[in-house]
Structure formats: C-alpha cells, structure tokens
Amino acid sequence: MNSLGCFNNIARNIKTRIPYGIWAKLIERRIYMIKIVDGFENSKQISKMIEDVAGELGISQKLEEIVIKHPPADSPLDMNYLSSDNKSLDLEIVDSLDNLEGRVRHELMHVADQLNEKFKYKDSLIPRKGTGAFRRYKYLWNVYIDSRLVKSGKPSYDTQEAREREIEECYPELSAALRKRCFAFLWGMGLLDFEQISAMSRDLFSAVEELKSLAQSHGEKQITFETIEELKSYRK
C-alpha cells in the first residue's frame, strides 16, 4: 500500500473524532514525502532545507514525492527533474553545505515556475539541446530566478555580479558596453513567462522592443549559433 493509501486508512479511523472544520482543512492538503538516497553526509540538513523551502514556495501542496539524489560524478551540479504528470520531483543535490539555501531555492524556483499556470511552461518551447539558443535559454531563466531571489532578500545560486560576468559566455558577439546594458535590463525586468524566455533565447532583440532599440543604437546584431561549440569558440 502506498503512503497516500495508508493515510486514507488512518484518516477514516480518526475522522469521527476530528471537528468538521479542522477535517476540511486537513483534506485540502496534499500528502507528500521527501526521500533521500543513501550516501549523503549532510542528509539531515539537505532534507530539512528542501522541506522548508518547498513548503514556503507552495510546492509541497502540489507534489506527492520529492526524491533527493546524488548528481552524476562527471557532472556535479544541482539539477531538478519534474515528472511529466507534475506529481513527483527528482532533485540532484551536491552533498555540500556551501550556499545550500541559495542552491536549493534556485532549483525549487525552477519547479515553482513550472507548476505555476501563469508561467505557461511547455517542453515544446525549449530550444534544441546542444545549440546556442539552449545555452542562452538556460542563462535567461537562471537570471530571472536569481534576480527575483536577490530582490526579495533571499540567498541565490549566483550573485548579480556573477550573472553579469556570465553573459559574455552567452553573447560573445556583442560589445561589452551593449552586454552591460542588456544585463541591467534583464536583471531589472518584472514578471516573465516561459514563452517570453523561449523567444528571447532565440532572438533577444526581436523578442523585447526595448532591447531591439538598444541594439540598433549600438549598430549591433545577435548571431545565431547552431551549436554550443560554435558559441564557445566565437572570436570577434
């Protein structure tokens, strides 16, 4: 019997002893579990942090299960994988307490965005992996998340300064002056949805009128890179 079935059996046994008002509130809550695989030295701290942040973001009310796993040895990065039915989440978390809250908040903000209907997340809008647009898509969404965390006074994965330095990796064809102004605009933007992020990853200047005018004033254009290798090796 799964955890939800066990809960239902227990609930039926105690329902008659719980006042209706309290019972109504109880059944509104989704029952979910946090599991962590063996081998974590910091399992208690990591599990507690994920539980707290998931509750704060409202994720715990929408998921049935969160499984905390080790990232691959050849790619020690924090990653999130939400199931196609939006009911379970696999979190790959580096076993370290360094900036744990910022890292967890960043990953769970990705999930909170995906679970938010207003964000309009669709797998079909993700640029093809291995392309320059895919690298830019990841960067733009990361900037959108970290900027919101910093503005709200919460720990973030990366600082504003680190994200500003990273923009050169994504847009090496642009001048330093234009990159600086583009980043300031991106960091200061209000609410975005996934359709906007997807469009910006393919053509930053066509998707946002303010940035289009900015690029025209500098006489510069964005280059489309078919592969990440082309993006990395670009030289003016």
Side-chain angles (χ1 to χ4, degrees):
M1 182 181 296
N2 60 31
S3 59
L4 189 57
C6 291
F7 174 81
N8 288 336
N9 285 340
I10 296 171
R12 279 193 290 270
N13 291 331
I14 66 174
K15 182 176 180 180
T16 56
R17 290 177 285 171
I18 299 178
Y20 176 77
I22 297 177
W23 177 256
K25 291 181 180 179
L26 282 173
I27 62 176
E28 287 177 358
R29 298 186 61 185
R30 294 287 297 272
I31 305 304
Y32 86 114
M33 297 178 61
I34 293 181
K35 301 177 182 178
I36 186 166
V37 302
D38 294 336
F40 276 90
E41 294 182 0
N42 302 291
S43 59
K44 290 183 179 179
Q45 297 96 321
I46 291 173
S47 297
K48 183 65 165 58
M49 183 63 68
I50 290 172
E51 180 182 8
D52 290 347
V53 176
E56 179 185 326
L57 295 176
I59 293 173
S60 56
Q61 299 174 5
K62 300 177 180 179
L63 296 176
E64 294 180 359
E65 181 180 73
I66 297 177
V67 181
I68 307 165
K69 300 180 177 181
H70 298 282
D74 60 347
S75 181
L77 298 171
D78 303 314
M79 296 293 291
N80 63 87
Y81 301 96
L82 185 64
S83 64
S84 58
D85 60 5
N86 290 348
K87 291 183 178 180
S88 63
L89 171 67
D90 284 356
L91 271 182
E92 293 180 352
I93 298 293
V94 175
D95 190 8
S96 169
L97 298 182
D98 291 344
N99 192 29
L100 177 61
E101 183 176 354
R103 289 160 41 218
V104 167
R105 284 189 178 278
H106 182 94
E107 293 307 315
L108 292 184
M109 282 282 282
H110 275 289
V111 179
D113 280 347
Q114 292 178 72
L115 293 173
N116 181 359
E117 291 183 359
K118 294 181 180 179
F119 188 65
K120 304 176 185 177
Y121 176 85
K122 294 179 182 178
D123 285 339
S124 60
L125 294 178
I126 299 175
R128 182 167 52 86
K129 288 185 178 181
T131 63
F134 182 76
R135 173 67 177 93
R136 289 167 171 173
Y137 140 76
K138 293 179 66 177
Y139 172 72
L140 292 168
W141 196 359
N142 285 338
V143 167
Y144 181 49
I145 287 174
D146 280 345
S147 64
R148 283 179 287 165
L149 288 172
V150 170
K151 291 171 189 175
S152 64
K154 304 291 186 182
S156 60
Y157 187 94
D158 260 335
T159 63
Q160 180 175 351
E161 293 74 20
R163 290 300 185 193
E164 183 172 2
R165 290 193 296 271
E166 188 183 355
I167 195 173
E168 183 177 1
E169 299 176 17
C170 299
Y171 298 93
E173 73 275 28
L174 304 181
S175 65
L178 181 54
R179 285 197 302 265
K180 186 176 184 65
R181 295 188 66 180
C182 286
F183 177 80
F185 181 86
L186 293 171
W187 191 266
M189 288 187 74
L191 294 178
L192 293 173
D193 61 36
F194 197 70
E195 292 177 353
Q196 292 172 306
I197 291 175
S198 176
M200 290 166 64
S201 70
R202 292 175 169 85
D203 192 334
L204 186 63
F205 301 133
S206 293
V208 183
E209 190 62 34
E210 293 90 337
L211 291 179
K212 181 179 181 180
S213 300
L214 189 60
Q216 290 175 342
S217 69
H218 281 70
E220 299 184 41
K221 294 182 179 180
Q222 178 180 319
I223 295 176
T224 298
F225 295 97
E226 294 300 326
T227 67
I228 291 181
E229 287 70 25
E230 290 179 9
L231 175 64
K232 290 180 177 179
S233 62
Y234 178 82
R235 294 290 183 273
K236 291 184 180 180

